[in-house]
Amino acid sequence: MTDIHPNQLILVITLLVSVIVFLIGWPRRNGTGGNYFIGYCITLILWTAGAVMESFVTTLEAKILWSQVLYIGFVQVIPFLFLFVVSYARQRSVPTRVALP
């Protein structure tokens, strides 16, 4: 068994906190901006899970695979967060022309 680096521990804790926030937000998904928040949580979990797995694997091929999984979540986090913040601040749904170009 390999030693766990402190950065890996921080990534695992971040993943656990992200999952807990998702589980707390799931019952509230029907509120204003709730679907965008759930999308944000899912992509954040995907991003951190990819980072955790990338930090634990040792082969180059596995690191490339997990960095690509990480990238999928990384790219989608900011748009979901933006749509959530806009819809929550306005207290109504975001117009379709903003959400879907």
Side-chain angles (χ1 to χ4, degrees):
M1 182 170 168
T2 61
D3 294 330
I4 295 178
H5 193 270
N7 291 344
Q8 292 172 325
L9 183 62
I10 290 171
L11 284 172
V12 171
I13 292 170
T14 303
L15 179 60
L16 292 175
V17 169
S18 300
V19 170
I20 290 169
V21 169
F22 170 77
L23 292 174
I24 291 172
W26 182 256
R28 297 168 177 85
R29 68 187 177 278
N30 294 327
T32 303
N35 289 330
Y36 298 127
F37 182 73
I38 293 300
Y40 168 74
C41 288
I42 290 171
T43 56
L44 186 63
I45 289 169
L46 186 62
W47 180 9
T48 55
V52 166
M53 292 304 296
E54 183 184 14
S55 71
F56 277 105
V57 297
T58 56
T59 64
L60 179 63
E61 293 82 14
K63 284 195 177 285
I64 290 171
L65 171 72
W66 288 110
S67 69
Q68 291 172 346
V69 170
L70 177 149
Y71 187 74
I72 293 169
F74 170 76
V75 170
Q76 296 175 2
V77 164
I78 297 302
F80 275 116
L81 182 60
F82 172 74
L83 291 171
F84 167 68
V85 168
V86 168
S87 65
Y88 189 79
R90 297 177 73 203
Q91 289 297 310
R92 59 181 185 259
S93 63
V94 177
T96 307
R97 62 184 157 82
V98 174
L100 300 172

